[in-house]
Amino acid sequence: EPEPSNSADDFAREEQSCLSFKDEDLSVSEHLQAKRARVENIIRGMAASPNADGEAESECEAVRCRRDLLKENKRKQRLPQHQEPKTSKDEECHKLKEQLQSMQRLLHQLQEKISHVHDQNYSESEEREDARSELSSLRLDGGHKDRVKVEPGGFGSDRAMKNLKETLKCELTRTVSESVDTVFKKLSTKDSPSDLSDSEENVNSRHCFESHGPEHQTEALSLVVRKPSLSQAVKRPFPLHQTPFQMGYSAPLHDSQILEHLLKYGPHSTFCLERSSPDSVERPWESLAMRSKLSSGHLGQHQTGLVSVDALCLPHIKMECGDLQSMAERSLNSPHIQEGLTPNHLKKAKLMFFYTRYPSSNLLKNFFPDVKFNRCITSQLIKWFSNFREFFYIQMEKFARQAIIDGVNDVKDVSVTRESELFRALNMHYNKANDFQVPDRFLEVAEVTLQEFFSAISLSKDSDPSWKKAIYKVICKLDSDVPEDFKSPSYL
DNA sequence: TACAAACCTG
DNA sequence: CAGGTTTGTA
């Protein structure tokens, strides 16, 4: 294809990028249709052939769909766009809305099916790491009723059911979020063409889908960023019509990534680079997100490098190069899939600690449905809880020793109430804002732990280097269920 | 020896 | 809180 170089051609290109709006929306529609087909497939699979692995099949279909779309989009790409009256933008929005709604209806159907299945109590849950695997392992034939896993605790099938339910709900939430996210991202891409002012299109699509309030910048960002070009971009927050790449695309790629991260998660978050991994096969966005980041360095001028990626029907790719405003907006307001852990997630995790000291990675996935899990995110969450435990046990040991110094002789005299200094320390750590009612059960667990430490130290067991292990073994059995409310992505 | 959890440090 | 190290298991 000829490379336009003069200003007239530049203008033509701009115009074309305006006009491609319609075409791009079509690919959103197609994307949604693929999603819809997938959900329908699952429902059909549940109704008709209980043993069929509907998930896997529809996954294959999705792949096929993607491949086909890739071809088609490549073709479309070269065709000149016909003039599209601006009034049709509203129609497009409405179409998309309708598609979303119909998908939601389908999901509700699916949900009903699931609860029906639940009532029948016929299911089998295999404890797998991935929620998707778990979904595909669902069996609906009643013949395997006796295969429901029974745990030593005695309430095994209940637990398995609960777990399964959680997983399914989680899957639903994800699917909806993904779809909604898809639309948002696609639209925000159009909202932020690097070369346009707030044209009618932008206004329209905003009005269509944007019900959030204005963005808020909650933290100062500039301290970490040194490069003049970058700090400029930050201090003059989110100029409406310019991308940072325009202002300083000479800045190294790494800085752009850091900047993007800072905007999303604030200066105190961690920058977590994840290599593409085997499990990104199931979640193509991960490896592709990386690839797009790699190419986002030279965006200002050469859009062509992106086209093939964008055509893969994975719209968020282009967002990587979208303007900072929409990125910041999304990270601050959007209830959709997150690419990293935010301070709110940390807050939520701390509150969850009141219920569970030893969460499985599965539980974490279920309770952070708005988080896009990968190895890095998972280990970060695990690490958080590890840190929580560390603090917890340090306090326990400290207060147990203090009790002994204070002359307490009987374990029965060791207790933990809301008035205890120990509780105050814990509450300060996990519930600093003190806006959460700590469950009584946590006080019981704390008390048991304190007593365990007390008696162990009293019996001089602490001479053994691994004396705490016995205590951990007791405490890890005292986890309780985390309330359902915590599953809401917008819990905090 | 590979992995998870505890442990230590800043 | 996160990075690095050690320890304990399988």
Side-chain angles (χ1 to χ4, degrees):
Chain A
E1 242 174 26
E3 272 296 333
S5 54
N6 60 45
S7 58
D9 281 341
D10 281 344
F11 179 75
R13 199 158 23 133
E14 275 184 14
E15 197 168 44
Q16 186 170 335
S17 79
C18 272
L19 297 173
S20 66
F21 185 88
K22 161 93 177 171
D23 188 45
E24 285 196 35
D25 269 0
L26 277 181
S27 73
V28 179
S29 303
E30 283 157 355
H31 188 73
L32 284 174
Q33 273 163 17
K35 290 268 177 202
R36 189 195 155 109
R38 195 177 141 191
V39 173
E40 279 175 334
N41 237 1
I42 294 175
I43 294 175
R44 216 178 299 129
M46 292 177 85
S49 61
N51 279 312
D53 195 338
E55 169 79 350
E57 279 173 19
S58 52
E59 200 77 341
C60 289
E61 262 179 37
V63 170
R64 271 200 300 278
C65 153
R66 229 169 262 156
R67 198 184 48 224
D68 293 342
L69 284 176
L70 173 61
K71 285 181 195 165
E72 199 172 350
N73 279 2
K74 267 185 179 166
R75 185 168 45 79
K76 279 181 188 169
Q77 187 71 38
R78 294 169 183 276
L79 296 175
Q81 300 302 310
H82 295 295
Q83 177 68 42
E84 193 62 34
K86 281 176 179 161
T87 51
S88 75
K89 303 300 181 278
D90 283 331
E91 292 171 24
E92 295 299 331
C93 287
H94 282 122
K95 273 185 200 166
L96 287 170
K97 267 183 169 176
E98 278 168 19
Q99 285 190 38
L100 273 177
Q101 282 165 0
S102 101
M103 270 203 61
Q104 273 165 344
R105 278 196 294 275
L106 278 167
L107 285 165
H108 282 133
Q109 281 182 41
L110 179 55
Q111 223 156 6
E112 278 168 22
K113 297 258 182 197
I114 289 165
S115 57
H116 181 66
V117 170
H118 177 240
D119 293 341
Q120 304 265 319
N121 236 336
Y122 296 150
S123 76
E124 169 188 3
S125 159
E126 296 185 10
E127 290 200 0
R128 296 196 193 166
E129 272 295 297
D130 198 311
R132 285 166 189 276
S133 328
E134 208 155 347
L135 181 65
S136 19
S137 76
L138 179 66
R139 300 285 182 275
L140 298 170
D141 48 333
H144 289 127
K145 191 178 179 179
D146 50 344
R147 288 184 58 195
V148 171
K149 198 174 287 176
V150 178
E151 290 174 12
F155 45 92
S157 59
D158 268 359
R159 248 196 136 82
M161 252 350 275
K162 239 182 219 171
N163 198 5
L164 178 63
K165 265 176 77 183
E166 276 177 15
T167 303
L168 289 169
K169 271 191 197 168
C170 170
E171 182 66 18
L172 286 173
T173 312
R174 271 186 201 284
T175 311
V176 174
S177 299
E178 270 178 46
S179 310
V180 174
D181 213 35
T182 295
V183 176
F184 267 92
K185 281 171 176 170
K186 204 69 178 181
L187 285 171
S188 80
T189 300
K190 286 189 278 286
D191 272 354
S192 53
S194 54
D195 48 1
L196 290 179
S197 60
D198 239 357
S199 60
E200 223 179 301
E201 286 91 329
N202 296 339
V203 174
N204 273 341
S205 51
R206 282 208 185 116
H207 285 171
C208 244
F209 280 95
E210 216 163 296
S211 53
H212 312 300
E215 66 280 3
H216 308 290
Q217 185 179 334
T218 52
E219 296 194 71
L221 302 176
S222 55
L223 287 178
V224 193
V225 186
R226 293 251 170 89
K227 297 242 171 192
S229 58
L230 288 172
S231 53
Q232 247 184 337
V234 174
K235 279 178 182 164
R236 220 178 145 19
F238 325 131
L240 267 175
H241 320 307
Q242 279 183 307
T243 71
F245 305 106
Q246 280 179 306
M247 295 171 67
Y249 44 79
S250 58
L253 167 65
H254 196 58
D255 283 343
S256 341
Q257 291 181 335
I258 293 172
L259 176 59
E260 177 189 323
H261 188 84
L262 284 173
L263 281 163
K264 282 183 173 179
Y265 312 124
H268 304 301
S269 55
T270 321
F271 188 64
C272 191
L273 262 182
E274 160 85 349
R275 286 179 296 278
S276 61
S277 51
D279 46 342
S280 57
V281 174
E282 288 180 54
R283 299 177 191 179
W285 46 21
E286 275 157 28
S287 55
L288 284 167
M290 272 311 294
R291 265 187 265 159
S292 75
K293 272 180 188 168
L294 293 175
S295 60
S296 66
H298 351 249
L299 283 183
Q301 311 294 324
H302 313 292
Q303 296 187 326
T304 45
L306 279 177
V307 172
S308 59
V309 184
D310 189 46
L312 282 176
C313 211
L314 294 166
H316 86 289
I317 300 307
K318 217 170 175 182
M319 189 275 290
E320 298 277 343
C321 357
D323 66 359
L324 292 174
Q325 188 196 8
S326 61
M327 282 199 293
E329 252 173 35
R330 205 176 290 100
S331 64
L332 291 172
N333 291 325
S334 167
H336 309 308
I337 303 286
Q338 289 280 336
E339 292 196 37
L341 293 168
T342 65
N344 269 348
H345 290 127
L346 176 60
K347 202 175 162 191
K348 177 172 169 177
K350 283 180 170 178
L351 297 184
M352 283 171 65
F353 185 78
F354 285 129
Y355 299 92
T356 173
R357 268 63 56 188
Y358 293 86
S360 67
S361 55
N362 221 342
L363 184 143
L364 293 175
K365 277 173 189 160
N366 287 332
F367 276 89
F368 291 93
D370 59 331
V371 172
K372 214 162 77 186
F373 275 81
N374 54 38
R375 219 169 283 166
C376 179
I377 298 288
T378 306
S379 56
Q380 190 184 6
L381 265 170
I382 298 278
K383 180 66 181 176
W384 281 359
F385 276 85
S386 171
N387 285 330
F388 300 163
R389 282 195 297 272
E390 197 174 6
F391 180 83
F392 180 77
Y393 287 127
I394 286 172
Q395 297 303 310
M396 291 300 161
E397 183 177 355
K398 196 171 97 184
F399 279 85
R401 291 189 186 280
Q402 190 57 48
I404 291 168
I405 291 171
D406 291 347
V408 178
N409 284 316
D410 195 339
V411 201
K412 287 172 181 165
D413 295 331
V414 175
S415 69
V416 177
T417 70
R418 292 178 192 272
E419 283 69 46
S420 305
E421 223 182 304
L422 171 58
F423 176 77
R424 282 182 46 235
L426 296 171
N427 194 51
M428 185 60 86
H429 192 73
Y430 306 115
N431 181 27
K432 198 162 217 155
N434 199 25
D435 52 2
F436 181 78
Q437 173 71 19
V438 179
D440 289 333
R441 174 70 180 158
F442 178 74
L443 292 172
E444 293 170 22
V445 174
E447 188 168 292
V448 172
T449 314
L450 187 62
Q451 289 171 346
E452 287 288 328
F453 270 92
F454 178 88
S455 49
I457 297 168
S458 301
L459 297 172
S460 301
K461 286 184 180 171
D462 55 338
S463 55
D464 177 358
S466 55
W467 63 286
K468 292 176 186 169
K469 254 185 69 181
I471 301 176
Y472 300 149
K473 209 172 169 182
V474 173
I475 305 310
C476 73
K477 289 175 184 160
L478 302 182
D479 276 12
S480 43
D481 290 335
V482 182
E484 294 287 311
D485 321 356
F486 280 83
K487 276 177 193 159
S488 166
S490 52
Y491 178 74
L492 284 169

